Amino acid sequence: MRDNQQSRHQVHSGEGDANTSQISESGNSNVDVHVSIQVDTKPIAMAMLYSLLASGKLTPQEFAEAIQRIEEYQSP
């Protein structure tokens, strides 16, 4: 790539997910690389809660409260 040229790549992998990367002034020198990765951890949290409920470590009421709290943390 030529000097002072920017390359930008953006991937949307779902609701609220944005993975971006940017390379500035690519050439023989003066290269800045910026990477931003956002991962949706809600499925992992849900799986953990279902596992705790199934093993009897959470009551149905605690499970419902935990689900409600996860929904509140969901980003817009």
Side-chain angles (χ1 to χ4, degrees):
M1 294 204 316
R2 288 178 254 145
D3 287 340
N4 297 325
Q5 190 175 22
Q6 289 188 349
S7 172
R8 183 176 287 211
H9 177 69
Q10 187 165 13
V11 176
H12 293 285
S13 60
E15 211 174 282
D17 294 340
N19 298 329
T20 61
S21 62
Q22 177 180 352
I23 300 174
S24 301
E25 298 184 27
S26 181
N28 292 333
S29 63
N30 197 14
V31 176
D32 298 321
V33 178
H34 303 278
V35 178
S36 173
I37 299 174
Q38 296 178 353
V39 178
D40 183 12
T41 58
K42 183 178 175 181
I44 297 167
M46 297 292 284
M48 290 176 66
L49 287 174
Y50 276 105
S51 176
L52 291 169
L53 179 65
S55 66
K57 294 180 181 176
L58 280 181
T59 66
Q61 293 81 15
E62 292 170 326
F63 176 78
E65 183 180 338
I67 295 293
Q68 183 179 6
R69 287 184 182 189
I70 287 174
E71 293 297 329
E72 290 172 1
Y73 287 125
Q74 187 176 7
S75 42

